[in-house]
Amino acid sequence: MVKKKIIVCRCEDLTLEDVEKAIDEGYIDLEELRKKLRIGMGPCQGRVCLPIVMKILERKTGKKIPKESLPKARPPIIPVPLGTLASEEK
Amino acid sequence: MRIQNHPIIDFKQKKKITFYFNRRKLEGFEGDSIASALYANGVKVFTKSLRYDNPRGFFCGIGKCASCLMRVNGIPNVRTCIAPLKENIKVETQEKLPALSSAEFNKQHKKTLTVDLLVVGAGPAGMCSSIEAARQGASVLLVDENMDVGGQLIKQTHKFFGSKQERAGTRGIEIAEELKKEIKKLQEQKKINLMVNSTVIGYYEGEKGKHRFGVVKRKGYSSIFYEVVCRAVVFSCGAMENMLLFPGNDLPGVYGAGAVQTLMNVYGVKPGNRVLMVGAGNVGLIVSYQLLQAGVQVDRVVEAAPVIGGYHVHAAKLRRCGVPIYTSYSVKEVYGRNCVEGAVVVKLDENWNPIEGTEEKIKCDTVCLAVGLTPSTRLLSQAGVEMEFIPEAGGYVALHNRFMETTVDNIYVAGDSSGIEEASTAMIEGKIAGVAASLKLGYNQNAKKLLKQYLEELDRLRSGPFGEKPRIAKEKITKFLEKKT
């Protein structure tokens, strides 16, 4: 039986190990983790992973995450073809 | 994989639809999503993961997790769990980051819509908001991502609790049918404009106090952009299933409870033959019982807490059917090559740490996660409403007053996105938001009396012992709000 990986972010294929390692290296807020690992930047935009990453971060650092440091959810919140976004009125 | 006999739902014989999966010719039924049709044909692996080539299928089954993306008729990144199955379509596994499509799918023109009230999400809260607002006289645009209205209500085959007024004793699916009919009637009277297969993708500030949104409507498998300008908005966007961390947690066969419920109660497809249920809250208990009704075995329910979280009526029903509930137990890992083949459960000590030597191997092909929900608040945060983290509400929620209005003028919330609760309270919150929003816009058909009545109903529903958690959540929200103002 091969031990499977523990996946934190399905979109970017990030494991618990990846996240813990990054935190150990000093990336200790969500914004830094996002820039380092692309947490929350896949097609689901963090809907699966963000609550988990917040828990891991709080456990590892022993600190509450201030809400100011939460990544902003920017439009579009789902993948949209650029052609659709750029379309003009008739 | 199709359910043949069901004690509650009548899966009528529907028209057959032929489609192709990686050149294989398959058959589904009218009304299927692409994902449900694939699943009914035994296809569980939809794609490979980005870095590790892990096999992947859907997880949430309701258009939120983006784990089911495939190429359809040459168009990449189609969310197959909410995309309708159509005759002769070509569904393909896409290679990780898909190549740009050569298909001409963007020859659509942008459109603009102006309404009094935009309602985001047509679940129990959103349907009730729309109906109430339309009755008050407001023009309503109701937008939902799924193929049809109803949200999670169309999957709730169990009877509701509460008092008679709040429809106790009625099944969720029956209430959904009634609400659907009412919406249809109001649509015919041009009081509600319904857009299904559509997603509100972003908030943009409007002029003169108005709110502006981008909405994308999927037509075929391409999409049209709508600019929506409204005077008020109700966010009833529901919630997202929580994920758990264990080795193998991304294997096809590990699903959120919502996905399992959707597969079996909407599409009539069995999620598997033998299920391990994780979580003994109401969702876990109810879905376990629904699995038995669909003819699926439930090996056991494991619950990490030392006590069962859900109603004891549901737990007792399960036990009578021979399904054991293990408290202080959790999943240690899930194994399998391409799909779930089994799981290992383990006993937890009082500090929730696994006790070595208590591992037990279970044969199952499905692991169903019913470990709570997180409110969907992304659009709310874009709109700039004040949010706070409230554990009893399931995570970050928008602060709102008793009329469900947030800290931004004419922006309302209702249902799970205002704090995780139940469909019965979601419906009343929706009604309150719908009437209150209309009243503020100047529509008043006995509105004040209705509001008073609905507020009383809501208090009554929450007054029981099971209303404790949401009661605490709402009290905290009120306290935060008082501090702000």
Side-chain angles (χ1 to χ4, degrees), chain B residues 314-467:
Chain B
H314 295 310
K317 237 162 134 182
L318 265 185
R319 284 191 173 127
R320 278 202 298 278
C321 296
V323 177
I325 303 171
Y326 286 62
T327 50
S328 294
Y329 260 88
S330 188
V331 198
K332 192 180 176 200
E333 66 170 292
V334 168
Y335 59 90
R337 216 165 61 91
N338 276 318
C339 302
V340 174
E341 289 165 24
V344 178
V345 296
V346 67
K347 194 168 169 55
L348 305 177
D349 65 17
E350 58 272 24
N351 300 318
W352 303 57
N353 294 317
I355 303 170
E356 223 172 293
T358 60
E359 290 88 355
E360 196 181 330
K361 219 168 161 178
I362 291 174
K363 273 263 169 225
C364 59
D365 58 6
T366 308
V367 175
C368 181
L369 301 185
V371 290
L373 299 151
T374 300
S376 294
T377 54
R378 299 185 304 164
L379 288 166
L380 281 153
S381 75
Q382 276 181 19
V385 309
E386 288 279 355
M387 317 256 286
E388 284 297 339
F389 187 85
I390 308 216
E392 292 83 356
Y396 274 94
V397 283
L399 299 184
H400 56 270
N401 62 21
R402 49 205 280 269
F403 300 110
M404 306 310 293
E405 191 173 12
T406 65
T407 52
V408 176
D409 243 8
N410 294 316
I411 294 187
Y412 293 77
V413 274
D416 272 356
S417 57
S418 76
I420 305 300
E421 215 174 337
E422 298 201 3
S424 38
T425 43
M427 288 190 280
I428 302 184
E429 282 188 342
K431 286 179 186 176
I432 294 169
V435 175
S438 310
L439 181 63
K440 203 169 166 183
L441 296 182
Y443 299 98
N444 187 351
Q445 303 287 333
N446 217 0
K448 282 180 185 156
K449 203 181 149 204
L450 278 176
L451 277 177
K452 190 169 168 276
Q453 181 196 323
Y454 295 151
L455 285 167
E456 281 168 9
E457 276 179 41
L458 194 56
D459 282 344
R460 227 177 8 248
L461 260 176
R462 284 190 188 132
S463 64
F466 291 108

Side-chain angles (χ1 to χ4, degrees), chain B residues 122-132 150 152-154 156 158-161 163-168 170-180 234 236 404 413-416 418-419 421-435 454-455 457-458 461-462:
Chain B
M127 288 198 287
C128 287
S129 275
S130 308
I131 292 170
E132 291 291 327
Q152 303 312 300
L153 203 54
I154 52 170
Q156 300 185 353
H158 60 283
K159 291 178 180 169
F160 280 19
F161 290 123
S163 69
K164 196 114 207 184
Q165 251 163 320
E166 289 91 37
R167 313 301 308 275
T170 315
R171 296 184 197 281
I173 44 172
E174 290 161 4
I175 301 172
E177 273 312 312
E178 285 169 31
L179 293 174
K180 262 190 203 175
V234 176
S236 42
M404 306 310 293
V413 274
D416 272 356
S418 76
E421 215 174 337
E422 298 201 3
S424 38
T425 43
M427 288 190 280
I428 302 184
E429 282 188 342
K431 286 179 186 176
I432 294 169
V435 175
Y454 295 151
L455 285 167
E457 276 179 41
L458 194 56
L461 260 176
R462 284 190 188 132

Side-chain angles (χ1 to χ4, degrees), chain B residues 249-269:
Chain B
N249 61 348
D250 65 327
L251 265 179
V254 177
Y255 304 128
V260 166
Q261 237 185 352
T262 308
L263 259 188
M264 59 180 182
N265 295 349
V266 177
Y267 302 113
V269 177

Side-chain angles (χ1 to χ4, degrees), chain B residues 212-228:
Chain B
R212 211 152 57 97
F213 291 90
V215 180
V216 165
K217 183 176 173 62
R218 288 174 288 282
K219 194 181 167 197
Y221 302 102
S222 72
S223 45
I224 308 170
F225 188 79
Y226 282 79
E227 181 179 332
V228 173

Side-chain angles (χ1 to χ4, degrees), chain B residues 190-247:
Chain B
K190 305 256 182 266
K191 287 177 179 165
I192 292 180
N193 178 3
L194 171 66
M195 278 168 73
V196 287
N197 293 314
S198 304
T199 308
V200 177
I201 60 152
Y203 172 84
Y204 308 89
E205 218 167 289
E207 283 170 6
K208 291 179 202 148
K210 286 190 175 172
H211 298 294
R212 211 152 57 97
F213 291 90
V215 180
V216 165
K217 183 176 173 62
R218 288 174 288 282
K219 194 181 167 197
Y221 302 102
S222 72
S223 45
I224 308 170
F225 188 79
Y226 282 79
E227 181 179 332
V228 173
V229 181
C230 61
R231 294 166 69 200
V233 56
V234 176
F235 287 105
S236 42
C237 331
M240 170 71 202
E241 202 94 49
N242 289 343
M243 188 67 204
L244 269 189
L245 294 181
F246 50 81

